[in-house]
Every structure is written in structure tokens, then in C-alpha cells.
Amino acid sequence: MVKLCIALSLLLAAVVSAGPGRPGGPIVKDSCTCFEKGNYYSPVSSDNCRSFTQRTAFLPAETQRCPYGLQFDVKTCVCNRPENTVCPYHCPRSYSAPAHYSRSCSQNGNTYRQLPGTKCHQFTQETAHLPPQVHSCPSGLQFDLQTCVCNYPKDTICYTY
């Protein structure tokens, strides 16, 4: 009887420690985002999830590639074998900001940055708890870091082209 109790205790401990929701394990935010150890991760659907975007609260987003033959898996927050991964078709495109790029503005708990390569027609919005989301200004306007809104180009300083 004692051996049975010990065996069941060990089995229960193994199941609890391996199951989802373990302390320090990944948290799936949505079908494109997981969170682990202070970082947000999203697969890049346009390359069949062979790469992923890593975002932190204080550094620009950066796209990284999985090792050859693997795909990024949101459920486990790691690169995984393709047969064990579902690649969502609608996740964001890859993004990498230059190392010197740190200009931003903040308003109402949100941080905004001009998106490089868009002539300031697009910008990102993020918070300390949510990853950057890409937004577009209405036609003919550019994102202005001095006012934190889309503005006329003549009144905007565009740091990224």
C-alpha cells in the first residue's frame, strides 16, 4: 500500500509540473502571441512561422529565425517540429528596428514609435503589458512624435524613412 501511495504521488507530481499553467511557463495571449519571462513572442506567418518576433517593454521588436526545419509554436513559446505546430496565417509581418532607433512619445500609458521604412505613415503603439501593434495614419498624414498623433507632413518631423 505504501508503494502504491508513493507511485501515485510521483505520478501526480510529474503531471502537475509538466502541465500547462505551471509557474514560470508560457502564457498564450492570443493565437499570435505568447508571453514568457518578460518577453512577448509572435510567429511570422508570411514565412510559414520559420521566424518569430520577440518584444520586450524597453527594447524595439526584433525578428529572429528558428533553427532549420523548425517553426515557432505559440502554445509552447518555442521553435518546434512542424507536425507539432499550428502556423496561424494572420500573424504580423517581421520587424526589426535599427539599434540606434529609440525615439518615441508617450501618452495615457501608451508608447508610440514611428515605424521604419514607412515614411512615418505607420507607427506602433504599445504598453508595459501589451506588445507593439502597428497602426496606419489616414491618407496624406504622418505620425508626429511631438504631438503623439497623425499630423500633416509639413508639421511633422519624420525620423524614419
Side-chain angles (χ1 to χ4, degrees):
M1 185 65 156
V2 173
K3 288 182 182 180
L4 180 60
C5 287
I6 292 172
L8 287 175
S9 296
L10 290 174
L11 179 62
L12 179 61
V15 169
V16 169
S17 65
R22 67 189 186 277
I27 298 169
V28 177
K29 293 290 193 178
D30 58 41
S31 63
C32 290
T33 308
C34 59
F35 177 81
E36 184 171 41
K37 297 179 183 171
N39 296 301
Y40 290 91
Y41 300 91
S42 296
V44 178
S45 299
S46 61
D47 76 348
N48 200 25
C49 299
R50 288 186 212 113
S51 58
F52 60 94
T53 301
Q54 177 183 2
R55 298 174 304 279
T56 64
F58 302 105
L59 298 173
E62 187 175 296
T63 299
Q64 301 179 26
R65 291 196 58 80
C66 286
Y68 181 78
L70 301 181
Q71 293 178 323
F72 188 78
D73 183 8
V74 174
K75 291 180 181 165
T76 59
C77 226
V78 297
C79 294
N80 205 345
R81 299 173 77 141
E83 61 268 18
N84 298 328
T85 304
V86 175
C87 182
Y89 66 90
H90 62 281
C91 294
R93 63 190 170 103
S94 64
Y95 174 75
S96 83
H100 68 277
Y101 182 71
S102 64
R103 297 181 189 263
S104 64
C105 63
S106 296
Q107 197 172 63
N108 299 325
N110 295 295
T111 300
Y112 300 90
R113 291 183 173 81
Q114 294 168 335
L115 192 64
T118 67
K119 298 181 181 175
C120 298
H121 296 292
Q122 290 186 318
F123 60 96
T124 61
Q125 174 188 14
E126 62 189 278
T127 69
H129 304 288
L130 296 173
Q133 299 294 313
V134 176
H135 300 280
S136 297
C137 288
S139 181
L141 301 181
Q142 293 178 325
F143 189 75
D144 183 10
L145 290 175
Q146 294 191 3
T147 59
C148 258
V149 297
C150 294
N151 206 345
Y152 293 104
K154 68 178 181 65
D155 299 324
T156 303
I157 297 172
C158 184
Y159 294 102
T160 61
Y161 270 89

